[in-house]
Amino acid sequence: MRRVRRFNHAPTMSALALASCLTALPGLIHAQQPDEETRRLLEGIQHGEQVEIELPDPEEQLPLEDLRKFAEVFGRIKDAYVEEVDDRRLLESAIKGMLSDLDPHSTYLAPKDYEQLEESTSGEFGGLGIEVGMEDGFVKVISPIDDTPAQKAGVQAGDLIIKLGDQPVKGMSLEEAVKLMRGKPGTVLTLTIMREGESAPIEIDVKRDIIKVTSIKSRIIENGYGYVRITQFQADTGSQFTTALEDLEKEHGSDLDGLIIDLRNNPGGILQAAVEAADALLDEGLIVYTEGRIQSSRLRFNAKPGDIMPNTAIVVLINGGSASASEILAGALQDQERAVVMGTQSFGKGSVQTVIPLDETHAIKMTTARYYTPDGRSIQAKGIKPDIEVKPAQLTELDSQPFFTEADLSGHLEGQDEEEQDAREEESEETAPANQDYQLRSALNLLKGLSILNKRNIPEQGSAD
């Protein structure tokens, strides 16, 4: 007689769709297969063998009294609620409640929600153009997306939306609020907002539009200095980032003297895209790793050999609207000493959401792991602290009396290359960055200083080692 013990092991989960922030990789399927112990148990029963089953510890199981309480509430709602409610709606509401009570990012995805998740991943969707989360029962703006109706109307990162049109937000789930914000292009939605520094709520009218998000913008801001803005991390952002860096070097004609990567108000996106962007600027080493309870949530991402700009100094700009995948990129470049991080502390969204399909049209998005930077720092609720803190400020030119110099004196001796110097100064004024962006100017000034020091430290040709 053979005894087969059956222990209460959780089934393994495979082929999970790993994503970050409010996006996910679509099309991945979750499958469950019987484990080896289950197969042995079934074979033993089929052969008529005596099977010994070890029951789970009753103290670790859901008490029967609590299950009865759930059934009691279910029945009371069915019998006494002011309107008739069908069983399916009640069950879906129970599932939503279980997930939403865990953390702000875990949720139940009905068919429409699943479609919207895939739309935001692809970079085209209908709505206002803001990334949002929940705080104290209100919808909090993580960041407005560049060149969208919300940004043009004046919505800012950190705003608390208390009303959508005539409907108060208090008591809504995040999914319900997002549904109200989406609508037919051309229609107007009035957002009632509480903003820090304002004594009363602000009303902002935003006209809905088809939101097409371009995740990468790049340009030469001054001779030798490149600028790359990443608005969010979509499926193809990694390859677009690499192309943008190569195009900047091609436009300049040689290696750049400095590069600014602007991640301000970047709400995150696809994990793999952030890893690819970091890999483009790292030659080796760890980029990010995740830790969770199940094996599939424990991942490590390392850089492959090859740095596109090995001799270029880099400054990364972040602020309170920089979240999730943007924090991964900033943290990796900071820990690997590849870039100086400048700005203000980031949002602190350091958790991993996994999309687990339940059937062809329904899924759950559940937090399954936490992000850690190469040095083992958890991003969750802490964010990335900049190496150099630079708060936003408005720049104004101070009026002052002009100083007289040698060049103003009548009959002064002409200096060598005086005309060329004047031309260079005029060109520098024309190509200077906008004076309104104090953080960007601070980043550029730092890069200029690093470039000067690097050039002074390069030994002259022919000198001995």
Side-chain angles (χ1 to χ4, degrees):
M1 178 178 67
R2 181 164 62 91
R3 293 190 177 186
V4 180
R5 286 184 177 268
R6 172 59 173 159
F7 296 91
N8 185 41
H9 289 308
T12 57
M13 294 195 291
S14 60
L16 296 178
L18 182 62
S20 75
C21 194
L22 299 175
T23 57
L25 292 174
L28 298 184
I29 299 173
H30 164 61
Q32 288 186 339
Q33 300 293 336
D35 57 27
E36 182 62 28
E37 199 167 352
T38 302
R39 283 194 290 270
R40 288 170 51 203
L41 175 63
L42 294 174
E43 288 174 3
I45 294 173
Q46 289 171 355
H47 289 86
E49 299 178 0
Q50 182 177 345
V51 176
E52 181 180 308
I53 300 177
E54 183 172 317
L55 296 176
D57 185 351
E59 293 184 1
E60 296 180 0
Q61 305 305 302
L62 184 64
L64 186 59
E65 184 180 337
D66 289 343
L67 288 173
R68 286 183 182 140
K69 189 184 298 179
F70 176 82
E72 175 73 14
V73 172
F74 190 93
R76 295 279 184 175
I77 294 172
K78 286 283 293 179
D79 295 338
Y81 185 65
V82 65
E83 295 178 354
E84 188 175 346
V85 186
D86 60 57
D87 293 348
R88 176 174 293 181
R89 180 182 170 190
L90 283 176
L91 288 171
E92 287 196 350
S93 297
I95 295 171
K96 289 178 181 178
M98 274 193 294
L99 289 161
S100 63
D101 196 50
L102 296 174
D103 64 75
H105 309 294
S106 295
T107 185
Y108 174 71
L109 300 175
K112 271 191 174 181
D113 303 319
Y114 210 171
E115 290 175 11
Q116 290 172 358
L117 197 63
E118 294 186 353
E119 285 175 359
S120 62
T121 305
S122 66
E124 182 174 332
F125 55 93
L128 307 178
I130 50 178
E131 293 287 345
V132 294
M134 294 297 290
E135 183 175 291
D136 299 328
F138 297 110
V139 175
K140 182 174 183 177
V141 178
I142 296 175
S143 68
I145 300 171
D146 287 356
D147 300 324
T148 61
Q151 188 200 46
K152 293 174 183 176
V155 178
Q156 298 179 11
D159 286 346
L160 281 180
I161 301 175
I162 59 175
K163 285 178 68 176
L164 292 167
D166 295 328
Q167 299 192 40
V169 169
K170 192 74 172 178
M172 285 186 187
S173 68
L174 185 60
E175 293 70 37
E176 290 168 337
V178 169
K179 284 179 183 177
L180 284 177
M181 286 187 277
R182 297 191 180 225
K184 186 178 180 181
T187 58
V188 176
L189 179 65
T190 301
L191 306 179
T192 304
I193 286 171
M194 289 296 297
R195 180 176 294 168
E196 188 177 353
E198 298 288 342
S199 58
I202 305 170
E203 290 190 355
I204 300 178
D205 293 332
V206 186
K207 183 184 287 187
R208 296 183 180 95
D209 200 354
I210 296 297
I211 308 300
K212 295 182 179 179
V213 180
T214 302
S215 62
I216 298 288
K217 297 177 181 179
S218 61
R219 67 180 189 273
I220 297 291
I221 54 174
E222 279 195 25
N223 187 31
Y225 298 94
Y227 171 86
V228 178
R229 162 80 175 144
I230 307 178
T231 58
Q232 69 178 59
F233 290 91
Q234 301 168 1
D236 56 355
T237 299
S239 58
Q240 289 181 5
F241 180 72
T242 300
T243 301
L245 297 183
E246 293 171 346
D247 289 345
L248 286 174
E249 287 202 325
K250 190 181 298 181
E251 181 181 347
H252 179 57
S254 61
D255 291 346
L256 294 176
D257 293 324
L259 173 70
I260 297 171
I261 302 174
D262 192 348
L263 300 177
R264 292 174 296 176
N265 295 327
N266 181 324
I270 300 294
L271 166 64
Q272 189 62 37
V275 170
E276 291 173 4
D279 193 7
L281 296 169
L282 294 172
D283 192 53
E284 61 181 358
L286 186 62
I287 295 173
V288 66
Y289 67 95
T290 63
E291 290 289 345
R293 292 174 60 203
I294 57 176
Q295 186 60 41
S296 57
S297 297
R298 300 167 197 154
L299 303 174
R300 296 177 70 86
F301 297 91
N302 293 283
K304 297 183 290 292
D307 180 345
I308 294 177
M309 295 181 170
N311 301 315
T312 300
I314 301 172
V315 171
V316 177
L317 287 175
I318 62 171
N319 66 1
S322 306
S324 194
S326 57
E327 293 173 294
I328 290 172
L329 176 56
L333 297 180
Q334 185 181 51
D335 283 3
Q336 296 290 1
E337 299 181 355
R338 183 64 183 89
V340 175
V341 177
M342 180 181 286
T344 55
Q345 190 155 331
S346 62
F347 183 76
K349 197 273 182 183
S351 59
V352 183
Q353 280 66 53
T354 299
V355 176
I356 307 173
L358 304 175
D359 54 38
E360 293 182 357
T361 57
H362 297 76
I364 61 173
K365 184 176 70 170
M366 184 168 58
T367 300
T368 56
R370 297 173 187 265
Y371 293 123
Y372 293 88
T373 69
D375 285 352
R377 294 182 294 156
S378 172
I379 299 170
Q380 180 60 27
K382 297 178 180 177
I384 299 296
K385 186 177 180 181
D387 299 304
I388 302 174
E389 184 178 21
V390 178
K391 296 181 179 179
Q394 185 174 359
L395 288 171
T396 56
E397 296 290 340
L398 296 176
D399 293 330
S400 59
Q401 294 294 328
F403 287 95
F404 285 100
T405 67
E406 176 71 16
D408 297 316
L409 298 177
S410 177
H412 74 275
L413 295 176
E414 283 196 15
Q416 295 180 350
D417 302 326
E418 187 173 334
E419 293 181 359
E420 289 84 350
Q421 176 66 25
D422 292 340
R424 283 196 297 270
E425 288 177 357
E426 290 178 5
E427 181 182 357
S428 176
E429 289 176 3
E430 292 175 359
T431 57
N435 287 344
Q436 298 303 317
D437 196 337
Y438 177 65
Q439 292 173 316
L440 179 59
R441 171 172 280 196
S442 298
L444 182 59
N445 287 338
L446 174 60
L447 286 175
K448 288 179 177 179
L450 293 173
S451 178
I452 293 170
L453 289 175
N454 288 338
K455 289 176 180 176
R456 286 178 178 173
N457 291 331
I458 295 176
E460 295 182 3
Q461 290 184 350
S463 63
D465 290 337

